[in-house]
Every structure is written in structure tokens, then in C-alpha cells.
Amino acid sequence: MGYQRGAKMAVRNVSCCLFFLIMCVFVYGQDIFVEAENFSVAGKGWKRAEGPVARSASGLAVLQGSSGAFDSTASDTVKIPEKGKWKIWVRYSQVPSVRGQFRIAVISGGKEIADKEFDLNPTRTRAADSRLGMDYVWDFLEADLPAGEITLKVYKTGSRAVHPYSRCLDCFLLTTNQKLVPDHTHYGPQIYLRVTIGDGHEKPFYIHIFADYYRSPWYANYSLTPDGLDAGVRPTAGRRFFNNGEKTDWISIAKLMYFDTGENLLLSPRYTYQEIAPRLKAKFEFATEPDEKKIFKTIERDAEPGGIHIIIPPDYASPEGAGKLSSDIEIAEATGKLADSMKWPSIGKKPSLFPFFASGYFGEGGLVPHDRKVVQRELKTLSYFGFCNREKTHTGGLWFMKNDCYCQPDIEKMKTVAKTQVETFRESGASFDSIAYCMLMDEPGGQPLSHIANCSACAEKFRQWVKQLNKTPADLMVNNWNEVRPVDETRRDTDPALYYFSEKFRTRALGDFMLVQKNILKDAWGTEFPTSPNFSDGATYVANFYAQGVDYFELLEQGGMNALWGENWGNGALTRESTTYNVELMRSAAIKNNQLLGHYLLVYAGRLAWDIKTIAVSQAARDVKIFTSFYYGPSWAG
Ligand SMILES: [Zn+2]
């Protein structure tokens, strides 16, 4: 839901405090690790930076040289234990479209003995951190270094001032190991895990971890075995698997940490990536050091099915943060205890004419089969509220087209998927009567003019549609049917009539595409449900249907569709008055053919239960007949 899709993700408001002392230089075997933000700066062109730019940096800080004096330098002295061929790795920011060059010089005895310029070419075309549009990447220079002190000195090269996310240095790693793959997570704050496996597992398994990060890059996969933590959906070849009764050594799991947001881990026991084991009985001990005395949290689970969530806060190393490291069952039971002890209202009854759903994840239908104890506890808690989730359900749409064109629906695929939908539903044993609505898609827009003006299928449909409207070429201010063609914004002033109808056609193309789906669904199910996509309330946000190309009147007044769905996301127009006005527009468009209205209630922007109640009453008064309330919970679900 929401005009801004990214904002849909539940974002935890977390403090980014670090409670550990980060030392300037770590020596690890022969390897030397140096934080760039601790370099001494000459002039006013380099500075320590924190915040978003450093959210993926070690120690959450970087040396930023994006602007300021161009002749400014930064340097640090490093003691080299022995003479040899060294690789000097540097981790720096990379915005794929911007070059933030810098030069690193290695100085010994007052003389430059090696140097290299960095960030001359991007190594990726798109940043993995799509929100910021930047990542940190590693590159190196090689040098024959003498034993004793050397100086690493950084100069700016290339453009004088660059994007603030460019020319930022995170850290250096000096090594004589030519094969080393640099990893800064070995040198920052640490977190260790020790796993003791219980009995009753039928064969050896590994633990797959899906890490949900609350921000871009949004997730990553890891595989845990007694031999360690590997990135990826399956362990590195040759790893041993867990056996009954086995206790691991301390395993560093720092590489899966985001130190700014923390993470929500979904663990599942697996024989292979495709084959999930039915049960997970294990004890997880978390420690800040590989030491019995440093254990700050122990989680013991006997989960069947074996899917469980563990939430690690960014400040786990502080006493307060350690208390926040928790698992789904702890959270579910704490909430459940509150719900059990509450005196619930006994007046009224569960809605039957007005299906009212709560949208949340209760452990069913997710990525992995979830611990039944958690699911049952959450459903018991939910049952107090009177939602219809257990009695009613909804189905999905068939949003398949060719060439991104609403005028080219993929009928074959639609029919195949509809058939599968019906078969799967029938196997579940539920009654078709329990289906309250069919949601075709979330927030589609009209077909963009940039497409329509250049698509022969759209042009043909456009001409047919104009004829159906009983218009002539003269009505569209052109000479003949050949000139009746959709146009884009550039022709707004020269061909106003063509432009007007082209804009309207954006919705018409969408509406016809929806209708094709609705009719195929009707044939497949043998019955009809209220069917619509959910539309963004962009119409009120910009006070114009055509910002998003969705004109409710154009959609509904010709008949065919039987429902219309909206939401109260609101963005800059998030008063209840303006979101209600959007529903009023929908209701007006539905008056002629009496289409049913559905509505998503969204808990965000600091809205309280009281806000949502008043909004719901307001929309019910405007003929909304089905509600789904998005409260984005429970909190362990991410
Ligand atoms: Zn097209």
C-alpha cells in the first residue's frame, strides 16, 4: 500500500549507539586493520562522517573527502612487522554513476614507494543498497614494504567536489596473504553463537538463515553449520552438518550484522536448500566474546515445524540491548499474556455482513513452515479482536501481460494460473463461500503514455475505443482515422483532443485488462467475487486522476467490474478528511452500477487505534463493505 512503495516496509526506529570501544588498529595474525576515519587530516578537505553514508561501514564511520579543499590530505602511520610483498586493501564508497577518485601513496623514509589511484571505474552498474545508491567496495594496491613504520597517505584526484556518498574511505586491511578475501567484520564489534543440538532429528542438517534487515539491501541468505557461517543459501562444499547431541565451538556471526538497524533472522533446519527438515530442537547461546562468561542470551527451542525467528538489535552488546535479543515465541507469549489478562468487551458480535480482516503474518503461508506453538499463540491472541480471518479469506488476481502492455493480456497464462488457484483452494477443503473478495494487484497505475504512444497494439485498441464512443476524427481534431493515434505529453498543446483521449485511454487500457481477469476468474471459480486491485490514493495526493492514470469513473461507469478498492495511506494528504474524500470519489463512481467498495486501513504515521477506528467508521458511512486492517504485526514477523 502507499504511494511510496519503499515506505511500506516496517521500519524500526533504532538508536545507532555503539557501546564498544573501537580501536584504531587491529592486528590479526599478519594482517593489519586500520579505520580510515582515524587518519590525521591536513587541510580542510577530509572529515569523519557518520549517519546514512556510513551505515554499511565498519564502526559506522568513514573518512569523507567528497567536498572541501582539494589539496587536503589524510594519513596514518602503520608498523609493518616484517619486510615482504604486501597487499594494501582499501574499502571505499562507490556510487556507480559518479567517480570520486583518490590516490593512495605508501611512504617509507620520506619517499613514496608505491601508489595507486582508486574509483577510476565502477565495479557495479547498480548499487546493492538501492535506497542510498551506493555501496562499499574493496580494491587493493601491492607494495614491497620494509619492516618498520610506513605512512599511508590519501590524496584527492579527479573531480574537486563529488556526490557526498562518493570518495568516502571506510578502512584499510594490510596483508601478506595474497589469497585473502578481505572482510572488515572480523575487526569490528563481535557476536558469537554456540549451538547445541537436541535429539530426535532424523538425519544431519544445516541451518538456513534468512536475514531481514529493515533497510536496503533488504535481506541476505546464510548457512550455519558446525564449521561456521557461510554466505548463501547452502553451505560451502565440504562443511559438516549438525548431528543429534552435537555442541559447536563459538562461531562468529558478525558478518550477518547490520550495526545500524539490527536484523530479524528466520532460521530453518534443512537437508538441502530445497528440503526443509520437520523439526529443530536446539539451544542457541549468544556471546560478545568466545567465552562462557560473556554469554548474554540463551534461547532453547523445540520447534515443530522448524521455522523460528530470532531478532538481534544493533545494540546487543549493551545490557539494555542484550535484553532485546529475543525470539518469536518470547514476543508471542508476552503479547498473549497481556491479551489473556485483558477484559474484552462482551457487547456486539463478530462482523458477518461486513468482512473485516486483520492483515498480519501469524506464521502461516510464509517462507518456511513455522513453529506451531508460535502460530497457535498468535491466533489465540488475534481471536480476541473479532476479525474474520479464520472464517473468511480472499484470493488473488491474474496480472499477466505481454510486452508490459495492458492491451496484450497473456490469456493462456491467466487461464492456467486460475485453474491452479481453484484446484489448490479446493484441496484446502475450504468452501468457496468463505472467499470475501479477489485482490487483483496492489496499486497498479494506468498504462504510461510513453508506452501507449509507441505501441501498435495500444494504437489499434485506442482507435476501436474511439469508434465505440461514437467519435469521429473531426471530434479528435484530425482529418482521418489514420491520424487517430494516441500521443504523449509532448503533443499536449499541438494535439489537445488526441492528448485528452490518450490520457483517458490510460485508464481504459487498465480497466479492460482488469475485466479480462475478472471474466477468466469467474469461469474458473464458477462464481463471482468482488474483484478489484487496490488503488493508491494518489488521486487526492495530487488532486488529479491522471497523475497515476486511474480515473475511477472511467473504470466503473461502463459496467463490467463489480468492485473498487482503496486505502488510507495518504502520504502528504494523510488527514482523515482527504483520505475519506478519496473514498467519496470511489463511491460516486460506483453509484451508477452499484459496485462494492473495499478498503485497506493502514496503521502508520503515528496513527493510534483511535485514529483507525474513526477512519473505519468514516469509510463505513461511505458504503465501504469490506475492510482489511494492516497493522504490520506481530513485531517478530519483520
Ligand atoms: Zn501497448
Coordinates of all heavy atoms in Angstrom, one line a residue, residues 490-573:
T490 N 4.3 15.4 -25.0 CA 4.9 16.4 -25.8 C 3.9 17.0 -26.9 O 4.2 18.1 -27.5 CB 6.1 15.8 -26.6 OG1 5.6 14.7 -27.4 CG2 7.2 15.3 -25.7
R491 N 2.8 16.3 -27.1 CA 1.8 16.8 -28.1 C 0.6 17.4 -27.4 O -0.4 17.7 -28.1 CB 1.4 15.6 -28.9 CG 2.5 14.8 -29.6 CD 2.8 15.2 -31.0 NE 1.6 14.9 -31.9 CZ 1.4 13.8 -32.5 NH1 2.2 12.8 -32.4 NH2 0.3 13.7 -33.3
R492 N 0.7 17.7 -26.1 CA -0.4 18.2 -25.4 C -1.0 19.5 -26.0 O -2.2 19.7 -26.1 CB 0.0 18.5 -23.9 CG -1.1 18.8 -23.0 CD -0.7 19.2 -21.6 NE 0.1 20.5 -21.7 CZ 0.6 21.1 -20.6 NH1 0.5 20.5 -19.4 NH2 1.2 22.2 -20.7
D493 N -0.1 20.4 -26.3 CA -0.6 21.7 -26.8 C -0.9 21.7 -28.3 O -1.8 22.4 -28.8 CB 0.5 22.8 -26.5 CG 0.7 23.0 -25.0 OD1 -0.3 22.7 -24.3 OD2 1.8 23.3 -24.6
T494 N -0.2 20.9 -29.1 CA -0.4 20.8 -30.5 C -1.6 20.0 -30.9 O -2.3 20.2 -31.9 CB 0.9 20.3 -31.3 OG1 1.3 19.1 -30.7 CG2 2.0 21.3 -31.2
D495 N -1.8 18.9 -30.1 CA -3.0 18.0 -30.4 C -3.8 17.8 -29.2 O -3.8 16.6 -28.6 CB -2.4 16.6 -30.9 CG -1.6 16.8 -32.2 OD1 -2.1 16.9 -33.3 OD2 -0.3 16.9 -32.0
P496 N -4.5 18.8 -28.7 CA -5.1 18.7 -27.4 C -6.2 17.6 -27.3 O -6.3 16.9 -26.3 CB -5.7 20.1 -27.2 CG -5.7 20.8 -28.5 CD -4.6 20.2 -29.3
A497 N -7.0 17.4 -28.4 CA -8.0 16.4 -28.4 C -7.4 15.0 -28.3 O -7.9 14.1 -27.6 CB -9.0 16.6 -29.6
L498 N -6.4 14.8 -29.2 CA -5.8 13.4 -29.1 C -5.2 13.2 -27.8 O -5.2 12.1 -27.2 CB -4.7 13.4 -30.2 CG -5.1 13.2 -31.6 CD1 -3.8 13.2 -32.5 CD2 -5.9 11.9 -31.8
Y499 N -4.6 14.3 -27.2 CA -3.9 14.1 -25.9 C -5.0 13.8 -24.8 O -4.8 12.9 -24.0 CB -3.2 15.4 -25.5 CG -2.6 15.3 -24.2 CD1 -1.5 14.5 -23.9 CD2 -3.1 16.1 -23.1 CE1 -1.0 14.4 -22.6 CE2 -2.5 16.1 -21.9 CZ -1.5 15.2 -21.6 OH -1.0 15.1 -20.3
Y500 N -6.1 14.5 -24.8 CA -7.2 14.3 -23.9 C -7.6 12.8 -23.9 O -7.7 12.1 -22.8 CB -8.3 15.2 -24.1 CG -9.6 15.0 -23.3 CD1 -9.6 15.4 -22.0 CD2 -10.6 14.2 -23.8 CE1 -10.8 15.2 -21.2 CE2 -11.8 14.0 -23.1 CZ -11.8 14.4 -21.8 OH -12.9 14.2 -21.0
F501 N -7.9 12.3 -25.1 CA -8.4 10.9 -25.2 C -7.2 9.9 -24.9 O -7.5 8.8 -24.4 CB -9.0 10.7 -26.6 CG -10.4 11.2 -26.6 CD1 -10.7 12.5 -27.2 CD2 -11.5 10.5 -26.1 CE1 -11.9 13.0 -27.2 CE2 -12.8 11.0 -26.2 CZ -13.0 12.3 -26.7
S502 N -6.0 10.3 -25.2 CA -4.9 9.4 -24.8 C -4.8 9.2 -23.3 O -4.6 8.1 -22.8 CB -3.6 9.9 -25.4 OG -3.6 10.1 -26.8
E503 N -4.9 10.3 -22.6 CA -4.9 10.3 -21.1 C -6.0 9.4 -20.6 O -5.8 8.5 -19.8 CB -5.0 11.7 -20.5 CG -3.7 12.5 -20.5 CD -2.7 12.0 -19.5 OE1 -2.9 11.0 -18.8 OE2 -1.7 12.7 -19.3
K504 N -7.2 9.6 -21.2 CA -8.4 8.7 -20.7 C -8.1 7.3 -21.1 O -8.5 6.4 -20.3 CB -9.7 9.2 -21.4 CG -10.3 10.4 -20.7 CD -11.6 10.8 -21.2 CE -12.8 10.0 -20.6 NZ -13.1 10.4 -19.3
F505 N -7.4 7.0 -22.2 CA -7.2 5.7 -22.6 C -6.3 4.9 -21.7 O -6.3 3.7 -21.6 CB -6.6 5.6 -24.1 CG -6.4 4.3 -24.6 CD1 -7.5 3.5 -24.9 CD2 -5.2 3.7 -24.8 CE1 -7.4 2.2 -25.4 CE2 -5.0 2.4 -25.2 CZ -6.1 1.7 -25.6
R506 N -5.4 5.7 -21.0 CA -4.5 5.0 -20.0 C -5.4 4.2 -19.0 O -5.0 3.1 -18.6 CB -3.7 6.1 -19.2 CG -2.8 6.8 -20.1 CD -2.1 7.9 -19.2 NE -1.3 7.3 -18.1 CZ -1.0 8.0 -17.1 NH1 -1.3 9.3 -16.9 NH2 -0.3 7.4 -16.1
T507 N -6.5 4.8 -18.5 CA -7.4 4.1 -17.6 C -8.2 3.0 -18.3 O -8.4 1.9 -17.8 CB -8.4 5.0 -16.9 OG1 -7.6 6.0 -16.2 CG2 -9.3 4.3 -16.0
R508 N -8.6 3.3 -19.6 CA -9.4 2.4 -20.3 C -8.6 1.1 -20.5 O -9.1 0.0 -20.4 CB -9.8 3.0 -21.7 CG -10.8 2.2 -22.5 CD -12.2 2.1 -21.8 NE -12.3 0.9 -21.0 CZ -12.8 0.9 -19.8 NH1 -13.3 2.0 -19.3 NH2 -12.9 -0.2 -19.1
A509 N -7.3 1.2 -20.9 CA -6.5 0.0 -21.1 C -6.4 -0.8 -19.8 O -6.5 -2.0 -19.8 CB -5.1 0.4 -21.6
L510 N -6.2 -0.1 -18.7 CA -6.1 -0.8 -17.4 C -7.5 -1.5 -17.1 O -7.5 -2.6 -16.7 CB -5.8 0.3 -16.3 CG -6.0 -0.1 -14.9 CD1 -5.0 -1.2 -14.5 CD2 -5.8 1.1 -13.9
G511 N -8.6 -0.8 -17.3 CA -9.9 -1.3 -17.0 C -10.2 -2.5 -17.8 O -10.7 -3.5 -17.3
D512 N -9.9 -2.5 -19.1 CA -10.1 -3.7 -19.9 C -9.3 -4.9 -19.5 O -9.7 -6.0 -19.5 CB -9.9 -3.3 -21.4 CG -10.9 -2.4 -22.0 OD1 -12.0 -2.2 -21.3 OD2 -10.7 -1.9 -23.1
F513 N -8.1 -4.6 -19.1 CA -7.2 -5.6 -18.6 C -7.7 -6.3 -17.3 O -7.7 -7.5 -17.1 CB -5.8 -5.0 -18.3 CG -4.8 -6.0 -17.9 CD1 -4.3 -7.1 -18.7 CD2 -4.2 -5.9 -16.6 CE1 -3.4 -8.0 -18.2 CE2 -3.3 -6.8 -16.1 CZ -2.8 -7.8 -17.0
M514 N -8.3 -5.4 -16.4 CA -8.9 -6.0 -15.2 C -10.1 -6.8 -15.5 O -10.3 -7.9 -14.9 CB -9.3 -4.8 -14.3 CG -8.2 -4.1 -13.6 SD -8.6 -2.4 -13.1 CE -10.2 -2.5 -12.4
L515 N -10.9 -6.4 -16.5 CA -12.1 -7.1 -16.9 C -11.8 -8.5 -17.5 O -12.5 -9.4 -17.2 CB -12.9 -6.2 -17.9 CG -14.3 -6.5 -18.1 CD1 -15.1 -6.5 -16.8 CD2 -15.0 -5.5 -19.1
V516 N -10.7 -8.6 -18.3 CA -10.3 -9.9 -18.8 C -10.1 -10.8 -17.7 O -10.5 -12.0 -17.6 CB -9.1 -9.7 -19.7 CG1 -8.5 -11.1 -20.1 CG2 -9.4 -8.9 -20.9
Q517 N -9.3 -10.3 -16.6 CA -9.0 -11.2 -15.5 C -10.3 -11.6 -14.8 O -10.5 -12.8 -14.4 CB -8.2 -10.4 -14.5 CG -6.8 -10.2 -15.0 CD -6.0 -9.4 -14.0 OE1 -5.6 -9.8 -12.9 NE2 -5.7 -8.1 -14.3
K518 N -11.2 -10.6 -14.5 CA -12.4 -10.9 -13.8 C -13.2 -12.0 -14.5 O -13.7 -12.9 -13.8 CB -13.2 -9.6 -13.6 CG -14.3 -9.8 -12.6 CD -15.4 -8.8 -12.9 CE -16.8 -9.5 -12.7 NZ -17.8 -8.9 -13.6
N519 N -13.3 -11.9 -15.8 CA -14.1 -12.9 -16.5 C -13.5 -14.3 -16.5 O -14.2 -15.3 -16.4 CB -14.4 -12.4 -18.0 CG -15.3 -11.2 -18.0 OD1 -16.1 -11.0 -17.0 ND2 -15.2 -10.4 -19.0
I520 N -12.1 -14.3 -16.6 CA -11.5 -15.6 -16.6 C -11.6 -16.2 -15.2 O -11.9 -17.4 -15.0 CB -10.0 -15.5 -17.0 CG1 -9.9 -15.2 -18.5 CG2 -9.2 -16.8 -16.6 CD1 -8.5 -14.9 -19.0
L521 N -11.5 -15.4 -14.2 CA -11.7 -15.9 -12.8 C -13.1 -16.4 -12.6 O -13.3 -17.4 -11.9 CB -11.4 -14.8 -11.8 CG -9.9 -14.4 -11.6 CD1 -9.7 -13.1 -10.9 CD2 -9.2 -15.5 -10.9
K522 N -14.1 -15.7 -13.1 CA -15.5 -16.1 -13.0 C -15.7 -17.5 -13.6 O -16.3 -18.4 -13.0 CB -16.4 -15.1 -13.6 CG -17.9 -15.3 -13.4 CD -18.7 -14.3 -14.1 CE -20.2 -14.7 -14.1 NZ -21.0 -13.9 -15.0
D523 N -15.1 -17.7 -14.8 CA -15.2 -19.0 -15.4 C -14.6 -20.1 -14.6 O -15.1 -21.2 -14.4 CB -14.6 -19.0 -16.8 CG -15.4 -18.2 -17.8 OD1 -16.6 -17.9 -17.5 OD2 -14.9 -17.9 -18.9
A524 N -13.4 -19.8 -14.1 CA -12.6 -20.8 -13.3 C -13.3 -21.2 -12.0 O -13.3 -22.4 -11.7 CB -11.2 -20.3 -13.1
W525 N -13.8 -20.2 -11.3 CA -14.4 -20.5 -10.0 C -15.8 -20.9 -10.1 O -16.4 -21.4 -9.2 CB -14.3 -19.2 -9.1 CG -12.9 -18.9 -8.6 CD1 -12.0 -18.1 -9.2 CD2 -12.2 -19.5 -7.5 NE1 -10.8 -18.0 -8.5 CE2 -10.9 -18.9 -7.4 CE3 -12.5 -20.4 -6.5 CZ2 -10.0 -19.2 -6.5 CZ3 -11.6 -20.7 -5.5 CH2 -10.3 -20.1 -5.5
G526 N -16.4 -20.6 -11.2 CA -17.9 -20.9 -11.4 C -18.7 -20.0 -10.6 O -19.9 -20.2 -10.4
T527 N -18.2 -18.9 -10.1 CA -18.9 -17.9 -9.3 C -18.1 -16.6 -9.3 O -17.0 -16.6 -9.8 CB -19.2 -18.4 -7.8 OG1 -19.9 -17.4 -7.2 CG2 -17.9 -18.7 -7.1
E528 N -18.8 -15.6 -8.8 CA -18.1 -14.3 -8.9 C -17.9 -13.7 -7.5 O -18.8 -13.7 -6.6 CB -19.1 -13.3 -9.6 CG -18.4 -12.3 -10.5 CD -19.4 -11.5 -11.3 OE1 -20.4 -11.1 -10.8 OE2 -19.1 -11.4 -12.5
F529 N -16.7 -13.2 -7.3 CA -16.4 -12.5 -6.0 C -16.2 -11.0 -6.3 O -15.8 -10.6 -7.5 CB -15.1 -13.0 -5.4 CG -15.0 -14.5 -5.4 CD1 -14.0 -15.1 -6.1 CD2 -15.9 -15.3 -4.7 CE1 -13.9 -16.5 -6.2 CE2 -15.8 -16.6 -4.7 CZ -14.8 -17.3 -5.4
P530 N -16.3 -10.1 -5.3 CA -15.9 -8.7 -5.5 C -14.5 -8.7 -6.0 O -13.6 -9.1 -5.2 CB -16.2 -8.1 -4.2 CG -17.1 -8.9 -3.5 CD -16.9 -10.3 -4.0
T531 N -14.2 -8.1 -7.2 CA -12.9 -8.2 -7.8 C -12.3 -6.9 -8.1 O -13.0 -6.1 -8.9 CB -13.0 -9.1 -9.0 OG1 -13.5 -10.4 -8.6 CG2 -11.6 -9.3 -9.7
S532 N -11.2 -6.5 -7.6 CA -10.6 -5.2 -7.9 C -9.1 -5.3 -7.5 O -8.7 -6.0 -6.6 CB -11.3 -4.1 -7.2 OG -10.6 -2.9 -7.4
P533 N -8.3 -4.4 -8.1 CA -7.0 -4.1 -7.5 C -7.2 -3.2 -6.3 O -8.2 -2.5 -6.2 CB -6.2 -3.5 -8.6 CG -7.1 -3.3 -9.7 CD -8.5 -3.6 -9.3
N534 N -6.2 -3.0 -5.5 CA -6.2 -1.9 -4.5 C -5.5 -0.7 -5.2 O -4.4 -0.8 -5.7 CB -5.4 -2.3 -3.3 CG -5.1 -1.1 -2.4 OD1 -6.0 -0.3 -2.1 ND2 -3.9 -0.9 -2.1
F535 N -6.2 0.4 -5.2 CA -5.7 1.6 -5.8 C -5.1 2.5 -4.8 O -5.7 2.8 -3.7 CB -6.7 2.4 -6.7 CG -7.1 1.6 -7.9 CD1 -8.3 1.0 -8.1 CD2 -6.1 1.6 -8.9 CE1 -8.6 0.3 -9.2 CE2 -6.4 0.9 -10.1 CZ -7.6 0.2 -10.3
S536 N -3.9 3.1 -5.1 CA -3.3 4.1 -4.3 C -4.2 5.3 -4.2 O -5.0 5.5 -5.1 CB -2.0 4.5 -4.9 OG -1.7 5.9 -4.6
D537 N -4.2 6.0 -3.1 CA -5.0 7.2 -3.0 C -4.3 8.4 -3.6 O -4.4 9.6 -3.2 CB -5.5 7.5 -1.6 CG -4.3 7.5 -0.6 OD1 -3.2 7.2 -1.0 OD2 -4.6 7.7 0.6
G538 N -3.5 8.2 -4.6 CA -2.8 9.3 -5.3 C -3.7 10.3 -5.9 O -3.3 11.4 -6.2
A539 N -4.9 9.9 -6.2 CA -5.9 10.9 -6.8 C -6.0 12.1 -5.9 O -6.1 13.2 -6.4 CB -7.2 10.2 -7.0
T540 N -6.1 11.9 -4.6 CA -6.2 13.0 -3.7 C -4.8 13.7 -3.4 O -4.8 14.8 -3.1 CB -6.9 12.7 -2.4 OG1 -6.3 11.5 -1.9 CG2 -8.4 12.5 -2.6
Y541 N -3.8 12.8 -3.4 CA -2.5 13.4 -3.1 C -2.1 14.5 -4.0 O -1.5 15.5 -3.7 CB -1.5 12.2 -3.1 CG -0.1 12.6 -2.8 CD1 0.2 13.2 -1.6 CD2 1.0 12.3 -3.7 CE1 1.5 13.5 -1.3 CE2 2.2 12.6 -3.4 CZ 2.5 13.2 -2.2 OH 3.8 13.5 -1.9
V542 N -2.4 14.3 -5.3 CA -2.1 15.3 -6.3 C -3.3 16.0 -6.9 O -3.2 16.8 -7.8 CB -1.2 14.7 -7.5 CG1 0.1 14.3 -7.0 CG2 -1.9 13.5 -8.1
A543 N -4.5 15.6 -6.4 CA -5.8 16.2 -6.8 C -6.0 16.1 -8.3 O -6.4 17.0 -9.0 CB -5.8 17.7 -6.4
N544 N -5.6 14.9 -8.8 CA -5.8 14.7 -10.3 C -5.8 13.2 -10.5 O -4.8 12.5 -10.1 CB -4.7 15.4 -11.0 CG -4.8 15.3 -12.5 OD1 -5.5 14.4 -13.1 ND2 -4.2 16.2 -13.2
F545 N -6.8 12.6 -11.2 CA -6.8 11.2 -11.5 C -5.6 10.8 -12.4 O -5.2 9.7 -12.4 CB -8.1 10.8 -12.3 CG -9.3 10.6 -11.4 CD1 -10.5 11.1 -11.8 CD2 -9.2 10.0 -10.2 CE1 -11.7 11.0 -11.0 CE2 -10.3 9.8 -9.4 CZ -11.6 10.3 -9.8
Y546 N -5.2 11.7 -13.2 CA -4.3 11.3 -14.3 C -2.8 11.4 -13.9 O -1.9 11.1 -14.7 CB -4.6 12.0 -15.6 CG -5.8 11.4 -16.1 CD1 -7.1 11.9 -15.8 CD2 -5.7 10.2 -16.9 CE1 -8.2 11.2 -16.2 CE2 -6.9 9.6 -17.3 CZ -8.1 10.1 -17.0 OH -9.2 9.4 -17.4
A547 N -2.5 11.8 -12.7 CA -1.1 11.6 -12.2 C -0.7 10.2 -12.2 O 0.4 9.8 -12.6 CB -0.9 12.2 -10.8
Q548 N -1.7 9.3 -11.8 CA -1.4 7.9 -11.8 C -2.2 7.1 -12.9 O -2.1 5.9 -13.1 CB -1.8 7.3 -10.5 CG -0.9 7.8 -9.4 CD -1.1 7.2 -8.0 OE1 -2.2 6.8 -7.7 NE2 -0.1 7.2 -7.2
G549 N -3.0 7.9 -13.7 CA -3.7 7.3 -14.8 C -4.8 6.4 -14.4 O -5.2 5.4 -15.1
V550 N -5.4 6.6 -13.2 CA -6.5 5.8 -12.7 C -7.7 6.7 -12.5 O -7.8 7.4 -11.5 CB -6.2 5.1 -11.4 CG1 -7.3 4.2 -11.0 CG2 -4.9 4.2 -11.7
D551 N -8.7 6.7 -13.4 CA -9.9 7.5 -13.3 C -11.0 6.6 -12.9 O -11.5 5.7 -13.6 CB -10.1 8.2 -14.7 CG -11.4 9.0 -14.7 OD1 -12.3 8.7 -13.9 OD2 -11.5 9.8 -15.6
Y552 N -11.5 6.7 -11.6 CA -12.5 5.8 -11.1 C -13.7 5.8 -11.9 O -14.4 4.7 -12.1 CB -12.9 6.2 -9.6 CG -11.7 6.3 -8.7 CD1 -11.8 7.2 -7.6 CD2 -10.6 5.5 -8.8 CE1 -10.8 7.3 -6.7 CE2 -9.5 5.7 -7.9 CZ -9.6 6.6 -6.8 OH -8.6 6.8 -6.0
F553 N -14.1 6.9 -12.5 CA -15.4 7.0 -13.3 C -15.2 6.2 -14.6 O -16.1 5.5 -15.0 CB -15.7 8.5 -13.5 CG -16.1 9.2 -12.2 CD1 -15.2 9.7 -11.4 CD2 -17.5 9.2 -11.8 CE1 -15.5 10.3 -10.2 CE2 -17.8 9.8 -10.6 CZ -16.9 10.4 -9.8
E554 N -14.0 6.4 -15.2 CA -13.8 5.7 -16.5 C -13.7 4.2 -16.2 O -14.2 3.4 -17.0 CB -12.4 6.2 -17.0 CG -11.9 5.5 -18.3 CD -12.9 5.7 -19.5 OE1 -13.3 6.8 -19.7 OE2 -13.2 4.7 -20.2
L555 N -13.2 3.8 -15.1 CA -13.2 2.4 -14.7 C -14.5 1.7 -14.5 O -14.8 0.6 -15.0 CB -12.3 2.2 -13.4 CG -10.8 2.1 -13.5 CD1 -10.3 1.9 -12.1 CD2 -10.4 1.0 -14.4
L556 N -15.4 2.4 -13.8 CA -16.6 1.8 -13.3 C -17.9 2.1 -14.1 O -18.8 1.3 -14.2 CB -16.9 2.2 -11.8 CG -15.8 1.8 -10.8 CD1 -16.4 2.0 -9.4 CD2 -15.4 0.3 -10.9
E557 N -17.9 3.3 -14.7 CA -19.2 3.7 -15.3 C -19.7 2.9 -16.5 O -20.8 2.8 -16.8 CB -19.2 5.2 -15.6 CG -19.2 6.0 -14.2 CD -19.9 7.3 -14.3 OE1 -19.8 7.9 -15.4 OE2 -20.5 7.8 -13.3
Q558 N -18.7 2.3 -17.2 CA -19.2 1.5 -18.4 C -19.7 0.1 -17.9 O -20.2 -0.7 -18.7 CB -18.0 1.3 -19.4 CG -17.0 0.3 -19.0 CD -16.2 -0.2 -20.2 OE1 -15.9 0.6 -21.1 NE2 -15.8 -1.4 -20.1
G559 N -19.5 -0.2 -16.6 CA -20.0 -1.5 -16.2 C -19.0 -2.6 -16.4 O -17.9 -2.4 -16.9
G560 N -19.3 -3.8 -15.9 CA -18.3 -4.9 -16.1 C -17.6 -5.3 -14.8 O -17.7 -6.4 -14.3
M561 N -16.9 -4.3 -14.2 CA -16.3 -4.5 -12.9 C -17.3 -4.4 -11.8 O -18.3 -3.7 -11.9 CB -15.1 -3.5 -12.7 CG -13.9 -3.7 -13.6 SD -13.2 -5.4 -13.7 CE -12.6 -5.6 -12.1
N562 N -17.0 -5.2 -10.7 CA -18.0 -5.2 -9.7 C -17.6 -4.7 -8.3 O -18.3 -4.8 -7.3 CB -18.6 -6.7 -9.5 CG -17.5 -7.6 -9.0 OD1 -16.3 -7.2 -8.8 ND2 -17.8 -8.9 -9.0
A563 N -16.3 -4.2 -8.3 CA -15.8 -3.7 -7.0 C -14.7 -2.6 -7.3 O -14.2 -2.6 -8.4 CB -15.2 -4.8 -6.2
L564 N -14.4 -1.9 -6.2 CA -13.3 -0.9 -6.3 C -12.7 -0.8 -4.9 O -13.4 -0.8 -3.9 CB -13.8 0.5 -6.7 CG -12.8 1.5 -7.1 CD1 -11.9 1.1 -8.3 CD2 -13.4 2.9 -7.4
W565 N -11.4 -0.8 -4.9 CA -10.7 -0.9 -3.6 C -9.7 0.2 -3.4 O -9.0 0.6 -4.3 CB -9.9 -2.3 -3.5 CG -9.6 -2.7 -2.1 CD1 -8.6 -2.2 -1.3 CD2 -10.3 -3.7 -1.4 NE1 -8.6 -2.9 -0.1 CE2 -9.6 -3.8 -0.1 CE3 -11.3 -4.6 -1.7 CZ2 -10.0 -4.7 0.9 CZ3 -11.7 -5.5 -0.7 CH2 -11.0 -5.6 0.6
G566 N -9.7 0.8 -2.2 CA -8.8 1.9 -1.9 C -8.1 1.8 -0.6 O -8.3 0.7 0.1
E567 N -7.4 2.8 -0.2 CA -6.7 2.7 1.1 C -6.5 4.1 1.7 O -6.7 5.1 1.0 CB -5.3 2.0 0.9 CG -4.4 2.9 0.0 CD -3.1 2.3 -0.2 OE1 -2.9 1.1 -0.1 OE2 -2.1 3.1 -0.4
N568 N -6.1 4.1 2.9 CA -5.9 5.5 3.5 C -4.4 5.7 3.8 O -4.1 6.0 4.9 CB -6.7 5.6 4.8 CG -6.3 4.7 5.9 OD1 -5.9 3.5 5.6 ND2 -6.2 5.1 7.1
W569 N -3.6 5.4 2.8 CA -2.2 5.7 3.0 C -1.9 7.2 3.2 O -1.5 7.6 4.3 CB -1.4 5.1 1.9 CG 0.1 5.3 2.1 CD1 0.9 6.3 1.7 CD2 1.0 4.4 2.7 NE1 2.2 6.1 2.1 CE2 2.3 4.9 2.7 CE3 0.8 3.1 3.3 CZ2 3.4 4.3 3.3 CZ3 1.9 2.5 3.9 CH2 3.2 3.1 3.9
G570 N -2.2 7.9 2.2 CA -2.3 9.4 2.3 C -1.1 10.2 2.1 O -1.2 11.3 1.5
N571 N 0.1 9.7 2.4 CA 1.3 10.5 2.2 C 1.1 11.9 2.7 O 0.7 12.1 3.8 CB 1.7 10.5 0.7 CG 2.8 9.5 0.4 OD1 3.0 8.6 1.2 ND2 3.4 9.6 -0.7
G572 N 1.4 12.9 1.8 CA 1.3 14.3 2.2 C -0.1 14.7 2.5 O -0.4 15.8 3.0
A573 N -1.1 13.9 2.1 CA -2.5 14.2 2.3 C -3.1 13.3 3.2 O -4.2 12.8 3.0 CB -3.2 14.2 0.9

